[in-house]
């Protein structure tokens, strides 16, 4: 039995792992250890491109290649003739008997059955002879269309290459022809979504990120389909300003390839496949519930499984190749699709979710249907289990099409827009709102114009304008629909907070707190607004109760936005552990609800607890993932927030180059948009970088300017969190009075929350403002509080370094050493080289000798070191760029600097240097 190598799709555009495997196989021919491999895969999956990439690497080989052609598949020996045609003039090197056999067979297109073995040996002899001068590679692409006689002869040779300087590579669709049985096989898996994003970034760079994500989702890992989808779009669709068609056109090559299978299926199997295609993942009991006449669904499913068209997993029916389901739907006539939707609605009724029954009824309906539209909106409002935000949006958009009333259409499109926004489909959300706009003037619904325009403004990144319009809409809705007004005000407040416009946040909060909602004390959203408003006003003690109540109430609420607000509330309470727990819940719930847009939002706040008192590595992972997801879903403001977080993390590591790059990206985005939170975070990052590099005047000046910033230019939360760093800088330049004044608000907050880590920072600040024994007492208090808070973060390490420095300067080197050693260990673990260097210098000053054998990558910046190690692991520039979320050109720039710094010339030398060889 043949070996089967299951190859997962490579992350690289060109399937790097598979290329390396095939190149290695072909290269063994130089040593007389030839071999063969059959590459299998679906149409368009990239088999030919894989073979092209392999051949590009085999400059020293003789290459023979033939592509199977359907018209020639019935011509005996046509494939062998096409493969050997370029070298037939060399057949004189064979023995006379072998030459005669090969000559006669190729000239006549047939051979006597008695000569089969002799002809097979002649082909093997010719392959052997051709490999004498240089290694030989024979490539047979589209082998499913090569005639059986040619495949049999080539297969005979392929099985006998182990002592020959040759390799034979076959590529075929899906299951290999039986003539190739017994040969090793490699099946190409569909490309990952990440890789398909790379494909479209290169081949269609003008695509809106959200449109690109939608095409990736629909392409099911098939690069040919993804590229074809992109090429079929209009300019407006590419920009995300017009909706995509429900069914985008597939390449004719794909349609024809699947037609070979679908055209010859029995009628009952074809019927079952169409039902499975209109309801992906349908349950087996649903699909096989009813038969009629000659249609036996159980038998049809059995035949489809045996044919390898469908498989059953966890009682759900799936297409073995998801693209086949797409083809089945496109081949069906409109009448066949209508019948399939009605039949599936009947099968699901009482056996599956009601919203899916309604969807299929709607898909089969032509023209308006007010009753069905009402049923759909009621089902969405009820929030049936399993209904995702994306599905809710699609249902509401269809419900809007079913009504002739402008008010209903506008309302349903507005709600569909909101659900699309929650699902991370930002372009689609904007499109739906634009579709609602023409119906607004004639709808005569109070608040609808401002609600639609507010959603549009927020979606188009004008948070301040969007906030004002949502608040206006809420005022119109307050009397007759306070719950909808509440939802609008919560979103308005979120927009105001992101913009750093606290006066607008407070206005939205006050407006929400006056709404006549049932049991407001049990409303986590209102409690969040009240507590946050009080915190922004500096009344921290009063803010505690509503913030704690908002976190407690959300325990019974799995709505992702509520959980995200509970992350923020936990952080304002100084509860980093609670924030981590709520982050995990929010991400898990977003996955269940299909609200992918909530994941980067949750991660954007979760990092705050990590980068000060937790793990820099975890914070970096959160921010990098959040940046990728927010970019893919078109959330540019959220992406800017993650970029600002990455700038802060670079500053914490002391990487000035990366910090500057991230800050520049944020600045480019925020220059034309009100985005105070991201802007403030970048200023804090630059100030921290100044602080760790000893530029105390610059650090203090930056943080003072941040404290005086206007609305939309800064953020009170960042001003508060940066106080300990301002105190440190101000003390160093002798501005103790200013430091005392700034510390007052931070101390008030820490005393209110009683967060050990924040109280530790207060104690450290008090130590810096004190002398002698008093300072030492404050430092000891700070360390005790750090331990109570869980310890291990960068701020505890900085406290230890500051304390050790004080003790050393007080001529107490023995007392200083344990703290400085702990700081060295922490900065080593946290990978903060600049702080590590400072801690080592202080430790040496106590008289302790350190083993300072330089690392192989000494002298590199943290990002350069990270890139160097990834290169040593075998990653390509594109893989590194994707992982670090920088451009391949930036990776190339860093590599040139790395080579120059380490005085090497190649990636191989770099790998050897890092591995210590």
């Amino acid at each position: 039995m043949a070996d089967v190598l299951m190859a997962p799709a490579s992350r690289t555009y060109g399937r790097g792992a598979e290329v390396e495997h095939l190149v290695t196989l072909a290269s063994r021919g130089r040593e007389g250890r030839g071999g063969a491999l059959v590459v299998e895969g679906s149409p368009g999956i990239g088999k030919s491109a894989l073979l092209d990439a392999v051949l590009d690497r085999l400059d020293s080989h003789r290459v023979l290649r033939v592509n199977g052609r359907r018209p020639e598949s019935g011509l005996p020996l046509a494939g062998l003739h096409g493969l050997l045609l370029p070298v037939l003039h060399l057949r004189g090197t064979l023995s006379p008997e072998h030459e005669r056999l090969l000559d006669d067979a190729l000239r006549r297109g047939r051979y006597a059955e008695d000569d089969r073995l002799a002809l097979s040996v002649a082909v093997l002899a010719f392959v052997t002879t051709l490999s004498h001068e240089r290694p030989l590679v024979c490539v047979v692409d589209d082998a499913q269309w090569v005639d059986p006689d040619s495949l049999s002869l080539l297969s005979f040779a392929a099985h006998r290459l182990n002592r020959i300087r040759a390799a034979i590579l076959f590529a075929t669709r899906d299951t290999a022809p039986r003539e190739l049985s017994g040969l090793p096989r490699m099946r190409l898996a569909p490309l990952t979504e990440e890789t398909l994003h790379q494909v479209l970034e290169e081949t269609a760079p003008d695509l809106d990120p959200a449109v690109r994500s939608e095409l990736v989702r629909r392409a099911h890992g098939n690069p040919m389909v993804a590229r074809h989808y992109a090429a079929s779009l209009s300019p407006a669709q590419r920009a995300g300003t017009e909706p995509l068609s429900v069914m985008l056109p597939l390449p004719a090559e794909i349609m024809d390839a699947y037609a070979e299978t679908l055209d010859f299926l029995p009628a009952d199997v074809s019927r079952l496949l169409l039902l499975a295609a209109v309801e992906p993942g349908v349950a087996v009991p649903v699909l096989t519930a009813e038969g009629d006449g000659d249609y036996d669904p159980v038998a049809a499913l059995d035949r489809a499984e045996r044919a390898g068209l469908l498989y059953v997993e966890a009682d759900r029916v799936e297409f073995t190749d998801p693209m086949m389901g797409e083809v089945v739907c496109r081949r069906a006539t409109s009448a066949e699709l209508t019948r399939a939707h009605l039949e599936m609605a009947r099968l699901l009724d009482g056996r599956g979710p009601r919203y899916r029954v309604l969807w299929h009824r709607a898909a089969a309906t032509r023209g308006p249907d007010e009753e069905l539209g009402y049923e759909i909106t009621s089902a969405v409002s009820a929030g049936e289990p399993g209904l995702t935000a994306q599905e809710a949006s699609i249902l509401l958009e269809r419900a809007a099409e079913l009504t002739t009333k402008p008010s209903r259409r506008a309302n349903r499109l507005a709600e569909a827009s909101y659900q699309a926004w929650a699902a991370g489909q930002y372009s689609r959300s904007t499109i739906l709102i634009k579709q609602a706009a023409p119906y607004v003037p004639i709808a005569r619904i109070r608040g609808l114009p401002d609600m639609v325009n507010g959603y549009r403004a927020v979606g188009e990144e004008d948070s301040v304008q969007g906030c004002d319009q949502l608040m206006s809409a809420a005022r119109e809705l307050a009397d007759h629909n306070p719950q909808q007004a509440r939802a609008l005000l919560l979103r308005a407040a979120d927009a105001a907070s992101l913009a750093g416009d606290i006066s607008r946040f407070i206005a939205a909060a006050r407006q929400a707190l006056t709404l006549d909602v049932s049991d407001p004390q049990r409303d986590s959203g209102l409690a969040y607004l009240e507590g946050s408003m009080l915190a922004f006003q500096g009344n921290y003690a009063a803010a505690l109760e509503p913030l704690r109540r908002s976190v407690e109430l959300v325990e019974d609420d799995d709505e992702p936005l509520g959980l995200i607000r509970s992350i923020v509330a936990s952080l304002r309470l100084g509860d980093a552990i609670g924030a981590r727990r709520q982050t995990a819940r929010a991400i898990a719930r977003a996955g269940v609800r299909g609200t992918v847009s909530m994941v980067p939002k949750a991660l954007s706040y979760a990092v705050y607890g990590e980068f000060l008192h937790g793990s820099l590595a975890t914070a970096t992972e959160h921010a990098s993932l959040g940046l990728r997801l927010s970019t893919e879903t078109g959330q540019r403001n959220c992406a800017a927030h993650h970029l600002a977080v990455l700038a802060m993390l670079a500053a914490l590591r002391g990487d000035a180059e990366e910090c500057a790059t991230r800050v520049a990206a944020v600045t480019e985005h925020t220059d034309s948009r009100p985005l105070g939170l991201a802007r403030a975070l970048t200023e804090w990052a630059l100030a921290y970088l100044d602080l760790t590099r000893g530029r105390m005047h610059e650090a203090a000046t930056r943080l003072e300017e941040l404290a005086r910033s206007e609305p939309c230019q800064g953020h009170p939360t960042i001003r508060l969190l940066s106080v300990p760093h301002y105190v440190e800088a101000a003390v160093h330049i002798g501005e103790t009075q200013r430091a005392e004044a700034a510390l007052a608000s931070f101390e008030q907050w820490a005393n209110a929350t009683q967060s050990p880590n924040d109280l530790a920072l207060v104690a450290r600040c008090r130590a810096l403002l004190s002398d002698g024994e008093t300072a030492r007492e404050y430092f000891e208090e700070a360390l005790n509080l750090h331990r109570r808070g869980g310890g291990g973060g960068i701020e505890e390490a900085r406290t230890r370094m500051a304390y050790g420095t004080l003790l050393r300067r007080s001529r107490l080197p023995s007392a200083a050493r344990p703290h400085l050693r702990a700081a060295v260990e922490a900065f080593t673990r946290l990978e903060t080289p600049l702080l590590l260097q400072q801690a080592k210098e202080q430790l040496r000053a106590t008289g302790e000798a350190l083993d300072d054998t330089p690392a192989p990558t000494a002298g590199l910046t943290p990002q350069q070191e990270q890139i160097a190690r990834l290169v040593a692991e075998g990653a390509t520039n594109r893989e590194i760029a994707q992982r670090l979320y920088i451009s391949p050109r930036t990776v190339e720039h860093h590599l040139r600097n790395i080579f120059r710094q380490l005085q090497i010339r190649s990636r191989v030398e770099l790998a050897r240097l890092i591995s210590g060889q």
Side-chain angles (χ1 to χ4, degrees):
M1 182 176 176
D3 298 326
V4 179
L5 174 65
M6 291 302 294
S10 170
R11 288 183 63 248
T12 57
Y13 185 106
R15 293 185 178 271
E18 293 90 330
V19 170
E20 292 301 327
H21 179 77
L22 292 180
V23 168
T24 300
L25 174 67
S27 298
R28 288 205 304 261
R30 294 194 189 95
E31 306 160 11
R33 296 186 298 118
L37 187 70
V38 180
V39 179
E40 300 173 337
S42 304
I45 206 68
K47 302 180 294 295
S48 298
L50 173 66
L51 294 175
D52 289 341
V54 171
L55 296 182
D56 284 344
R57 297 271 300 275
L58 301 176
D59 294 337
S60 61
H61 287 62
R62 182 197 298 273
V63 176
L64 299 177
R65 182 169 186 168
V66 66
N67 284 16
R69 296 180 179 87
R70 184 163 21 185
E72 298 180 4
S73 59
L75 293 177
L77 301 181
L80 184 66
H81 181 272
L83 182 71
L84 298 181
L85 185 60
V87 292
L88 281 178
H89 63 284
L90 300 175
R91 63 189 182 280
T93 57
L94 294 172
S95 69
E97 178 65 13
H98 285 161
E99 182 182 3
R100 182 190 62 78
L101 281 168
L102 190 60
D103 225 15
D104 287 351
L106 292 178
R107 186 177 68 255
R108 298 164 55 200
R110 65 180 185 273
Y111 55 89
E113 187 62 30
D114 290 347
D115 289 336
R116 176 184 290 271
L117 177 60
L119 181 59
S120 299
V121 173
V123 171
L124 176 60
F126 198 26
V127 167
T128 304
T129 299
L130 292 172
S131 69
H132 284 162
E133 182 181 341
R134 52 185 173 141
L136 173 69
V137 177
C138 298
V139 174
V140 183
D141 202 356
D142 283 325
Q144 74 277 359
W145 288 335
V146 173
D147 62 279
D149 290 305
S150 294
L151 288 180
S152 293
L153 293 169
L154 290 170
S155 178
F156 179 90
H159 280 284
R160 291 161 174 81
L161 297 176
N162 57 317
R163 295 182 181 276
I164 298 173
R165 288 159 46 88
I168 303 181
L169 306 178
F170 301 89
T172 181
R173 288 179 181 167
D174 300 318
T175 304
R178 62 185 180 84
E179 289 80 9
L180 302 181
S181 60
L183 292 174
R185 305 192 308 277
M186 170 192 283
R187 172 164 288 278
L188 292 190
L191 295 177
T192 64
E193 289 194 358
E194 185 178 7
T195 306
L196 266 192
H197 271 284
Q198 294 176 8
V199 172
L200 290 180
E201 282 172 4
E202 287 195 5
T203 58
D206 61 325
L207 284 178
D208 176 86
V211 174
R212 184 171 64 242
S213 293
E214 178 63 11
L215 297 186
V216 166
R217 185 186 68 81
R218 294 194 192 191
H220 301 293
N222 191 302
M224 177 188 289
V225 171
R227 289 193 295 265
H228 191 80
Y229 280 167
S232 73
L233 301 183
S234 68
Q237 288 174 321
R238 297 173 80 86
T241 57
E242 283 187 5
L244 302 183
S245 303
V246 174
M247 285 198 291
L248 294 169
L250 285 170
E253 183 178 346
I254 297 288
M255 296 292 290
D256 291 346
Y258 287 100
E260 295 172 17
T261 299
L262 298 173
D263 281 345
F264 300 101
L265 293 176
D268 60 340
V269 175
S270 296
R271 177 176 171 181
L272 184 99
L273 289 181
L274 184 53
L275 289 172
V278 298
E279 182 65 14
V282 60
V284 173
V286 172
L287 187 61
T288 59
E290 299 177 13
D292 56 67
D294 295 331
Y295 176 59
D296 180 354
V298 175
L301 177 60
D302 182 64
R303 279 194 287 273
E305 284 189 87
R306 290 180 184 278
L309 305 175
L310 299 174
Y311 70 95
V312 176
E313 185 173 16
D315 211 29
R316 297 279 173 180
V317 178
E318 302 283 358
F319 279 90
T320 305
D321 180 355
M323 194 50 61
M324 180 170 283
E326 300 284 344
V327 174
V328 166
C329 284
R330 284 162 176 77
R331 283 168 50 91
T333 66
S334 58
E336 288 171 335
L337 278 172
T338 296
R339 286 195 296 271
H341 282 298
L342 288 174
E343 183 175 356
M344 183 52 66
R346 189 180 71 252
L347 292 171
L348 283 167
D349 197 7
R351 302 184 184 95
R354 177 162 172 70
Y355 66 86
R356 293 304 299 168
V357 176
L358 295 172
W359 163 248
H360 287 291
R361 285 175 53 197
T365 300
R366 299 291 175 264
D369 189 327
E370 297 291 347
E371 183 179 350
L372 180 55
Y374 177 77
E375 288 184 75
I376 289 173
T377 54
S378 298
V380 172
S381 298
E384 291 189 32
L387 177 62
T388 66
Q390 181 178 339
E391 289 172 315
S393 177
I394 293 170
L395 282 167
L396 288 165
E397 182 183 14
R398 185 70 184 105
E401 296 168 353
L402 293 172
T403 184
T404 59
K405 299 182 182 298
S407 58
R408 290 180 182 172
R409 181 164 290 192
N411 252 336
R412 289 170 185 176
L413 285 170
E415 181 59 23
S417 170
Y418 174 79
Q419 295 291 346
W421 171 81
Q425 299 175 309
Y426 276 69
S427 293
R428 186 167 178 275
S429 175
T430 302
I431 291 167
L432 289 168
I433 277 295
K434 288 179 178 178
Q435 290 177 2
Y439 303 101
V440 170
I442 56 176
R444 295 192 179 90
I445 300 178
R446 295 177 63 185
L448 184 60
D450 280 330
M451 179 176 72
V452 170
N453 290 329
Y455 280 165
R456 282 184 67 176
V458 172
E460 292 169 358
E461 304 175 347
D462 190 341
S463 300
V464 170
Q465 181 185 347
C467 175
D468 289 344
Q469 288 171 325
L470 292 173
M471 289 171 64
S472 176
R475 279 191 290 273
E476 294 291 326
L477 292 167
D479 291 337
H480 64 279
N481 194 341
Q483 282 301 127
Q484 188 172 7
R486 167 196 173 277
L488 292 175
L489 289 168
L490 278 166
R491 190 166 181 191
D494 289 340
S497 178
L498 195 63
D501 194 328
I502 303 309
S503 62
R504 278 184 167 83
F505 182 97
I506 291 172
R510 284 175 173 163
Q511 189 176 331
L513 293 170
T514 63
L515 292 172
D516 185 18
V517 296
S518 59
D519 199 3
Q521 289 297 306
R522 300 291 303 166
D523 189 313
S524 63
L526 293 181
Y528 166 81
L529 289 179
E530 181 185 0
S532 297
M533 177 183 69
L534 291 168
F536 284 144
Q537 292 172 326
N539 194 348
Y540 302 115
L544 295 183
E545 189 279 326
L547 287 174
R548 285 173 179 154
R549 179 159 38 92
S550 73
V551 173
E552 291 167 2
L553 290 171
V554 89
E555 292 293 333
D556 301 321
D557 180 9
D558 278 343
E559 201 274 319
L561 263 179
L563 289 167
I564 290 171
R565 294 188 184 103
S566 74
I567 297 170
V568 180
S570 296
L571 291 170
R572 288 191 175 133
L573 290 167
D575 183 5
I577 295 174
R580 289 189 197 114
R581 188 169 63 86
Q582 300 293 21
T583 300
R585 286 186 63 205
I587 292 172
R589 191 56 187 165
V592 172
R593 291 278 295 271
T595 50
V596 66
S597 71
M598 302 302 170
V599 175
K601 290 180 185 298
L603 293 173
S604 69
Y605 294 110
V607 293
Y608 286 88
E610 295 293 347
F611 68 58
L612 288 179
H613 304 298
S615 164
L616 295 186
T618 300
T620 302
E621 288 174 10
H622 283 351
S624 299
L625 174 61
L627 177 58
R628 180 171 66 81
L629 292 176
S630 55
T631 302
E632 289 175 2
T633 53
Q635 301 182 70
R636 286 179 279 267
N637 284 347
C638 189
H641 191 182
H642 282 291
L643 280 168
V645 170
L646 288 168
M648 185 67 195
L649 290 164
L652 291 168
R653 294 193 305 270
D655 189 340
E657 185 178 357
E658 184 186 350
C659 182
T661 301
R662 303 296 192 186
V663 168
V666 175
T667 302
E668 182 180 357
H669 182 80
T670 57
D671 273 349
S672 58
R673 298 170 181 86
L675 205 58
L677 181 57
R679 190 186 293 267
L681 191 51
T682 57
E683 285 300 311
W684 185 15
L686 292 171
Y688 185 91
L689 196 59
D690 285 334
L691 183 70
T692 54
R693 298 170 86 181
R695 300 169 58 179
M696 300 301 178
H697 279 283
E698 289 85 347
T701 300
R702 279 191 187 278
L703 293 174
E704 285 173 358
E705 290 174 355
L706 178 60
R708 294 192 298 266
S709 57
E710 298 292 323
C712 303
Q713 302 298 311
H715 201 282
T717 299
I718 303 302
R719 289 198 292 269
L720 183 70
L721 293 175
S722 63
V723 163
H725 298 149
Y726 173 72
V727 169
E728 186 175 343
V731 167
H732 273 83
I733 62 175
E735 295 288 353
T736 54
Q737 288 186 337
R738 291 184 183 179
E740 287 275 10
L743 181 59
S745 62
F746 186 88
E747 190 168 19
Q748 182 187 357
W749 173 59
N751 286 335
T753 63
Q754 287 295 295
S755 162
N757 282 318
D758 296 316
L759 288 170
L761 295 181
V762 172
R764 186 179 78 195
C765 289
R766 287 290 171 205
L768 293 172
L769 287 162
S770 306
D771 296 312
E773 187 61 32
T774 303
R776 290 197 290 273
E777 288 174 0
Y778 276 125
F779 272 124
E780 290 291 346
E781 180 185 350
L783 292 175
N784 287 331
L785 288 164
H786 278 306
R787 282 190 286 271
R788 277 178 48 199
I794 193 169
E795 289 302 325
E796 181 187 4
R798 294 182 77 252
T799 298
R800 287 194 176 276
M801 184 166 68
Y803 188 18
T805 301
L806 173 72
L807 292 169
R808 182 191 65 77
R809 288 174 178 169
S810 301
R811 301 179 184 246
L812 296 169
S814 298
R817 287 187 194 111
H819 299 294
L820 293 171
R821 286 192 202 111
V824 167
E825 291 171 5
F827 292 139
T828 301
R829 172 174 46 81
L830 293 166
E831 297 183 353
T832 54
L834 190 57
L835 291 171
L836 175 61
Q837 180 184 347
Q838 294 170 5
K840 283 183 173 180
E841 288 171 358
Q842 291 296 328
L843 187 54
R844 281 194 203 91
T846 67
E848 181 150 329
L850 294 174
D851 179 11
D852 269 348
T853 303
T857 54
L860 301 183
T861 68
Q863 186 168 54
Q864 287 174 340
E865 184 170 358
Q866 198 172 10
I867 289 170
R869 294 194 181 281
L870 289 171
V871 167
E873 292 168 9
T876 65
N877 286 6
R878 179 158 296 280
E879 288 175 319
I880 296 167
Q882 184 74 18
R883 194 149 159 192
L884 301 184
Y885 220 91
I886 55 180
S887 71
R889 186 174 297 177
T890 301
V891 175
E892 188 177 341
H893 168 74
H894 280 307
L895 267 179
R896 285 197 298 269
N897 291 336
I898 290 168
F899 288 172
R900 185 170 59 251
Q901 175 73 26
L902 301 181
Q903 298 182 357
I904 57 177
R905 295 183 178 181
S906 71
R907 300 169 86 96
V908 173
E909 286 184 75
L910 179 59
R912 288 173 177 166
L913 181 69
I914 289 179
S915 65
Q917 296 179 358

